[in-house]
């Protein structure tokens, strides 16, 4: 795992900071080429730190076996830089688990479990995975709010006189179906605007291409704001102060972007799909107690957007209380650690029972 400034860090760090030191000993095998403040912070939290940068996979396997690891957790799988799956193929640990980084199966029968929840992976999805699905009660994610969060401001529409939608998701998730639906929402809500943020928008050619695409669907460029890279996390989060309602992408939902929106008081509308990547928004909205923002069809997605845009009192109430909702649910690290540690114990007990048979 790249233990550095990365979206996964905001979900693994609550576990590394809050695990039971009496019951668990945590080793981190770090592939960080260039360490940052997140790296040093994580290194100080765990019992043992192993730097495996540049090591051959077989040497990493030998190291893990010497460390006598009971449960080895993969956080990267097939994502960028995920070159360590051969380590898991060698089965150096008693139990092997994949979690967080990749929203699909590893494809390895040597990885025993994939940690998820019943909303992200309903029963009946098992045939899509080489791993056994271990569904955590209450949600498979725990988010750590960034330090130095800007204040949650009042609903921007109250001052602007119009609704501003927004999405800070990866451009690859903004497929033609997403753009068509978002355009239809803007056309249905007079005066509404859309803010999109992605580092690719630094390039004039990219901005012009997206403005042209939305223009083909009847959206004037004055109703769009395309924002590029921000120098700091605080600047990035402060942009949410301009947004009334977040729009989730589909069929690949946002995760970190949705949590950031929640932290800034911005409700997010999601379209619930069939597979894990299309259902993470559903899991997150259930955790913060806003299931009414989950749509089962594109038509319902539009209806939810129109209904919420037309109810400024509702937007005010959600915005005023959403960060607090997160703190007692999605950001409750102590409670989440208890559930995760119980899961680890159950995995080990199951393996011992199997070996005994």
């Amino acid at each position: 795992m790249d233990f550095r400034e990365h979206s996964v860090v905001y979900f693994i760090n609550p576990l590394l900071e809050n695990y039971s030191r009496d019951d668990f000993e945590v080793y981190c095998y770090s592939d960080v080429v260039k360490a940052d403040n997140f790296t040093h912070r994580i290194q100080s939290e765990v019992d043992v730190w192993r730097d495996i940068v540049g090591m051959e996979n077989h040497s990493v396997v030998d190291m893990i076996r010497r460390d006598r690891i009971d449960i080895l957790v993969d956080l990267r799988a097939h994502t960028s830089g995920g070159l360590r799956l051969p380590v898991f193929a060698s089965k150096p640990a008693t139990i092997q688990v994949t979690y967080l980084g990749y929203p699909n199966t590893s494809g390895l029968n040597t990885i025993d479990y994939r940690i998820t929840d019943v909303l992200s992976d309903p029963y009946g999805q098992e045939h899509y995975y080489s791993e056994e699905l271990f569904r955590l009660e209450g949600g498979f994610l725990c988010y750590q709010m960034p330090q130095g969060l800007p204040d949650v401001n009042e609903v921007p529409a109250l001052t602007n006189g119009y609704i501003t939608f927004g999405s800070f998701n990866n451009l690859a998730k903004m497929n033609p179906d997403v753009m068509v639906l978002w355009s239809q929402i803007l056309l249905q809500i007079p005066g509404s605007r859309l803010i999109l943020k992605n580092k690719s928008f630094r390039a004039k050619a990219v901005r012009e291409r997206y403005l042209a695409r939305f223009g083909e669907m009847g959206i004037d460029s004055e109703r769009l704001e395309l924002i590029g890279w921000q120098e700091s996390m605080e600047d990035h989060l402060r942009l949410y102060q301009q947004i009334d309602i977040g729009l989730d992408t589909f069929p690949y939902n946002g995760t970190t972007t949705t949590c950031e929106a929640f932290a800034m008081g911005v409700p997010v509308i999601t379209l619930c799909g069939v597979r894990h990547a299309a259902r993470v928004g559903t899991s997150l909205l259930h955790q913060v107690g806003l299931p009414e923002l989950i749509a089962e069809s594109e038509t319902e997605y539009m209806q939810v957007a129109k209904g919420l845009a037309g109810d400024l009192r509702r937007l005010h109430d959600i915005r005023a209380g959403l960060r607090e909702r997160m703190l007692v649910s999605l950001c409750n690290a102590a409670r989440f650690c208890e559930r995760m540690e119980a899961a680890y114990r159950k995995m080990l007990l199951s393996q011992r029972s199997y070996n005994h048979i």
Side-chain angles (χ1 to χ4, degrees), residues 150-154 241 262-265 319-320 323:
D151 292 337
V152 174
N153 63 325
E154 184 54 273
Q241 294 179 334
F262 289 170
M264 292 301 298
R319 199 176 189 95
R323 186 178 289 183

Side-chain angles (χ1 to χ4, degrees), residues 24-286:
F24 291 85
E25 187 175 31
V26 172
Y27 287 58
C28 281
Y29 297 88
S30 172
D31 240 351
V32 176
V33 175
K34 186 176 181 181
D36 59 18
N37 290 336
F38 285 85
T39 311
H40 301 311
R41 176 178 171 180
I42 294 169
Q43 186 174 0
S44 68
E45 292 164 355
V46 300
D47 297 289
V48 180
W49 183 265
R50 303 290 196 211
D51 189 343
I52 60 172
V53 174
M55 289 181 61
E56 297 288 339
N57 284 325
H58 66 86
S59 299
V60 177
V61 169
D62 291 340
M63 175 185 288
I64 294 169
R65 285 176 174 158
R66 287 195 303 270
D67 288 338
R68 302 184 67 177
I69 299 300
D70 294 301
I71 301 174
L72 184 65
V73 181
D74 158 59
L75 298 173
R76 194 157 61 175
H78 297 286
T79 56
S80 177
L83 303 177
R84 294 300 186 180
L85 283 181
V87 171
F88 288 81
S90 298
K91 190 69 168 172
T94 306
I95 298 290
Q96 299 194 147
V97 177
T98 186
Y99 178 51
L100 281 181
Y102 185 63
N104 210 323
T105 182
S106 68
L108 292 180
N109 58 16
T110 53
I111 295 186
D112 304 287
Y113 298 100
R114 173 177 164 76
I115 295 175
T116 182
D117 62 47
V118 72
L119 292 172
S120 300
D121 285 289
Y123 292 102
Q125 301 273 28
E126 289 77 9
H127 62 285
Y128 291 124
Y129 298 95
S130 59
E131 311 87 2
E132 179 179 342
L133 296 178
F134 197 106
R135 297 175 174 90
L136 286 183
E137 291 186 10
F140 79 104
L141 293 169
C142 181
Y143 178 67
Q144 184 174 70
M145 290 191 189
Q147 295 180 346
L149 271 175
D151 292 337
V152 174
N153 63 325
E154 184 54 273
V155 175
L158 292 174
T159 301
N160 295 332
Y162 55 81
I163 290 290
T164 302
F165 296 99
S167 177
F168 295 176
N169 278 288
N170 192 304
L171 288 189
K173 297 181 180 181
M174 296 182 196
N175 59 66
D177 289 342
V178 168
M179 295 175 67
V180 167
L181 182 56
W182 289 356
S183 296
Q184 291 173 346
I185 289 171
L186 292 178
L187 292 172
Q188 288 285 320
I189 302 175
S192 60
R193 303 192 182 188
L194 175 63
I195 295 177
L196 302 178
K197 176 189 173 293
N198 186 271
K199 61 182 180 182
S200 297
F201 287 138
R202 288 179 297 182
K204 182 179 178 181
V206 176
R207 295 196 303 273
E208 290 178 344
R209 184 164 68 248
Y210 275 80
L211 289 174
R213 289 178 180 175
F214 278 102
E216 293 169 359
M217 293 177 277
I219 305 303
D220 295 334
S221 60
E222 291 78 11
R223 300 181 69 182
L224 296 170
E225 186 173 358
L226 308 182
I227 301 174
W229 182 259
Q230 300 296 296
E231 290 297 324
S232 70
M233 174 61 75
E234 185 175 349
D235 289 340
H236 165 73
L237 293 170
R238 201 177 298 281
L239 292 174
Y240 284 102
Q241 294 179 334
Q242 303 176 38
I243 296 173
D244 296 292
I245 302 170
L247 298 176
D248 199 4
T249 50
F250 58 90
Y252 196 158
N253 296 164
T255 303
T256 307
T257 50
T258 296
C259 291
E260 289 173 348
F262 289 170
M264 292 301 298
V266 177
V268 177
I269 300 168
T270 195
L271 175 60
C272 184
V274 177
R275 300 289 300 279
H276 178 95
R279 300 181 63 89
V280 172
T282 295
S283 177
L284 293 173
L285 282 164
H286 270 280

